[in-house]
Amino acid sequence: MKIMQNSKLISRWIKEGLKPTDFEFFTNRPNLVIGKLPGKKALVEYKCPYCGFYEIKEIVLEKRKNGKFKRPKFKCSNCGRTILVKDLIKL
């Protein structure tokens, strides 16, 4: 699976000494990175697949009744289109 290259958010977390196991939720995809630390809002770094806009912003992640997070979705701050994080592909 491809991952986002040169992520400013991942670089920041590494400088803070954080690793993926410190997060309640973490995903790294070709056009975005999302991480949620316990007790804090989730941060997303993304490049919009529709308009190419780049941004790092806070988003809200919803939990299911079983305690797992729903698949994240959020709106691009530039064009307003909804970006839905795709499921993991099982090989």
Side-chain angles (χ1 to χ4, degrees):
M1 177 177 19
K2 293 184 179 183
I3 59 172
M4 186 172 205
Q5 300 294 319
N6 304 318
S7 168
K8 293 177 184 174
L9 201 49
I10 290 177
S11 296
R12 184 170 94 192
W13 289 330
I14 290 171
K15 286 178 187 173
E16 293 174 8
L18 297 170
K19 31 189 196 307
T21 55
D22 296 327
F23 292 84
E24 277 186 283
F25 182 90
F26 180 83
T27 190
N28 187 354
R29 304 296 170 83
N31 64 329
L32 61 84
V33 173
I34 299 175
K36 183 188 179 321
L37 289 165
K40 295 189 176 182
K41 287 189 177 181
L43 288 174
V44 62
E45 174 181 16
Y46 71 97
K47 182 176 180 185
C48 180
Y50 306 108
C51 70
F53 182 71
Y54 170 84
E55 178 180 37
I56 296 175
K57 71 177 188 174
E58 288 184 350
I59 61 169
V60 176
L61 293 180
E62 296 180 42
K63 276 193 174 183
R64 297 180 180 169
K65 291 180 182 177
N66 65 5
K68 292 186 178 185
F69 288 99
K70 291 182 179 180
R71 197 159 29 133
K73 65 179 179 179
F74 57 94
K75 291 196 179 281
C76 173
S77 297
N78 187 52
C79 69
R81 293 185 67 179
T82 299
I83 300 168
L84 180 64
V85 177
K86 297 189 188 259
D87 284 335
L88 290 172
I89 300 170
K90 297 192 180 193
L91 302 173

